Amino acid sequence: MGTALVYHEDMTATRLLWDDPECEIECPERLTAALDGLRQRGLEERCLCLSACEASEEELGLVHRSDYDSPEYIALVRKTQTLDKEELHTLSKQYDAVYFHPDTFHCARLAAGATLQLVDAVLTGAVHNGLALVRPPGHHSQRAAANGFCVFNNVAIAAQHAKQKYGLQRILIVDWDVHHGQGIQYIFNDDPSVLYFSWHRYEHGNFWPFLPESDADAVGQGRGQGFTVNLPWNQVGMGNADYLAAFLHVLLPLAFEFDPELVLVSAGFDSAIGDPEGQMQATPECFAHLTQLLQVLAGGRICAVLEGGYHLESLAQSVCMMVQTLLGDPTPPLPGLMVPCQSALESIQSVRTAQTPHWTSLQQNVAPVLSTSIHCPGGRSLLLVGESPTCVGAEDSPSPLLDRPYLRPTPPICTAVALTVPGAALALSPGVLHQEGSVSREETEALARLHRSQFQDEDLATLGKILYLLDGILDGQIRSALATTTALATAATLDVLIQRCLARRNQRLLCVALGQLDRPLDLADDGRVLWLNIQGKEAAIWSMFHFSTPLPQTTGGFLSLILGLVLPLAYGFQPDMVLMALGPAHGLQNAQAALLAAMLRSPVGGRILAVVEEEDKLQLARTLARALHGETPPSLGPFSMASPEEIQALMLLKAQLEARWKLLQVAAPPS
Ligand code: Q9C
Ligand code: ZN
């Protein structure tokens, strides 16, 4: 099981044969640059490489069927094989932004065929996920028309194939290409079995393909209402924070509610920095994060298919980021301020408004009543009048494309586990190692001195092992780790771990404490520790870095907590590592704990130390270890709408924190 890479060198054959500044960017070097990038980074050899075969005309017919009054489109494209240059040019001009070449038919059949092979490999279980590196692209192509460099609609054909051959009932298509894949939208416009999400440069309709149906109010028709989701960008310069906000506040809530069986990605990289078409600012790392956020869906069954991407270096880097994430590598840090711009927030707000009638998860978008029911210790309201956020996207450009920030080397140990339960040799996944090392008894005792009363002799032995794991993570020897603590020692253990982290320089620590774990009394409030406690019934806020929120009982409430609060905070804080502690009466189901751990990996590059009380069933430890290791977490079960109390608690907390943590915003403040 792994990652498939589907390719055929013949797809470099098609190229522009005449002068046309609009079309010349769609060139063979796009594929060779992407492939060279994968080879240089040793990523190609880690994939299962499949050689693409042509799709049959019957397979193309899944989308490109002829009907009684239109000539056969497939036959027309087939005929281009025999046309001369002048005839090709004449035919090309009948379409918008299209060129034909004598090899177009062969290449386009290979592109569709590669996509089908990838879907087959994933749905038969030969691989977890994969990428089809193809030309020509597909998402603009329509039932009987080429458009925007696209001849056959590779992704739409693959979705129909997955429905027909495998009986799938829910397929998510994520189109992160910078152009609107109107072809896909038309094909599935009234089809509720395909949820199509696209963000695209729109500029209020003044950008190609200049369609009113690219706007947020196009939501699909008939039974397909709500299954088309358009997020139009009305300014250029959208960056990492804007893309993340779109995923956290639009795509992912709907995707979890939809519960897809397969995710197809129309993976265009013209939405990345440097691209002449997109003029956006998102760095290649962003695509690692977008990919990892999708990996919690559909059991990790992700098929990515190349669409656009015209800046060769940016394209190659972005493709590598996606493939290394598909292979399970940790996400690199995201450069840039995590502040979405005003225009992005307006777009997010407009799509949420348009989609609210169709999605339960968005019906929680009620304006919070600012009441006094939130607990503000000291009686001081922390509601800050925030300075009005301005658009930083365009001006505040992230680090230059070729000048990457320092990356942490890959730790030799991927996931380490230390258990207190005697004889609990968990059947672990390959790559998860039992770790028996310990910090010396003297050092452990010195660190535990403050909590002497709470540690029994055997607790100290356990603490020594956990400290060893923590040091392993801080030293880059271990990526993530899981430890069990003896009963009732979790709070004291957590306190010691926090102190140990803070004693190391340059550490920002996100502490997610579940259950009855009181905030350590002397917890630093200098911005080095973000303390989030999830327990009980009441939200409480001590500062912009220390707060507490109730654990929702519904799946809808739990997802809103993760997507709407925990991840925006985690991305905004940019911690060096996460401490996740499951204390007394934490109340989390195994699947919830696994999802939380799995999603917290993204903002922190996988550097999580999870601590669980041994009281918990071993199954929890096993599920958590797998999630930390990168396995897709089990399903939360059927979607249930958040209760009004859950919504209220979350909204109140978010309203108070928004002034400091800008990724929490789901709407633009009035300008
Ligand atoms: N400057 C794909 O990315 N030209 N197709 C737009 C605006 C057409 C893009 C001109 C762009 C087609 C797959
Ligand atoms: Zn594009």
Side-chain angles (χ1 to χ4, degrees), residues 18 69 108 116 245 274 398 416 429 459 487 508:
W18 48 84
D69 65 352
L116 294 176
S429 320
D459 296 338
R508 256 196 318 277

Side-chain angles (χ1 to χ4, degrees), residues 476-489:
Q477 296 300 308
I478 300 173
R479 181 178 307 142
S480 67
L482 171 82
T484 51
T485 56
T486 39
L488 304 178

Side-chain angles (χ1 to χ4, degrees), residues 245-246 249-250 340-353 365-368 388-389 651 654 658 661-671:
H249 300 312
V250 180
C341 75
Q342 169 91 10
S343 176
L345 289 169
E346 285 167 8
S347 296
I348 286 169
Q349 183 174 16
S350 71
V351 59
R352 283 174 59 105
T353 301
N365 183 25
V366 285
S388 127
M651 296 293 290
K654 288 180 62 161
E658 241 175 52
W661 304 105
K662 308 284 187 181
L663 263 182
L664 292 171
Q665 298 164 281
V666 295
S671 53

Side-chain angles (χ1 to χ4, degrees), residues 3 33 42 45 97 101 125 140 200 220 250 327 357 379 408 414 467 469-470 484-485 508 516 633 637:
T3 298
E45 62 187 32
H101 176 279
H140 298 301
H200 33 269
V250 180
L327 284 163
R408 293 191 177 94
C414 189
L467 285 166
L469 295 180
L470 177 67
T484 51
T485 56
R508 256 196 318 277
Q516 290 163 16

Side-chain angles (χ1 to χ4, degrees), residues 215-277:
D215 210 345
D217 60 357
V219 298
Q221 288 189 329
R223 298 195 56 225
Q225 277 187 44
F227 296 96
T228 292
V229 180
N230 283 330
L231 174 42
W233 299 124
N234 287 316
Q235 286 180 8
V236 297
M238 296 301 162
N240 296 343
D242 305 301
Y243 285 5
L244 266 183
F247 263 49
L248 295 177
H249 300 312
V250 180
L251 173 62
L252 291 173
L254 305 195
F256 273 108
E257 186 173 343
F258 181 66
D259 188 24
E261 300 158 299
L262 173 68
V263 178
L264 301 175
V265 184
S266 266
F269 296 98
D270 42 14
S271 46
I273 189 167
D275 193 278
E277 276 288 305

Side-chain angles (χ1 to χ4, degrees), residues 497-533:
L497 294 175
I498 293 171
Q499 298 315 323
R500 177 75 159 189
C501 277
L502 293 186
R504 317 269 301 223
R505 294 186 327 150
N506 296 327
Q507 295 292 331
R508 256 196 318 277
L509 176 65
L510 169 60
C511 208
V512 181
L514 297 126
Q516 290 163 16
L517 292 169
D518 288 338
R519 189 170 58 118
L521 285 174
D522 52 352
L523 187 62
D525 193 16
D526 55 3
R528 283 190 297 161
V529 182
L530 182 60
W531 168 269
L532 169 60
N533 178 220

Side-chain angles (χ1 to χ4, degrees), residues 384-411:
L384 307 177
V385 185
E387 71 278 30
S388 127
T390 49
C391 189
V392 297
E395 304 91 68
D396 189 20
S397 84
S399 56
L401 188 57
L402 296 170
D403 179 22
R404 309 321 307 158
Y406 166 74
L407 293 182
R408 293 191 177 94
T410 305

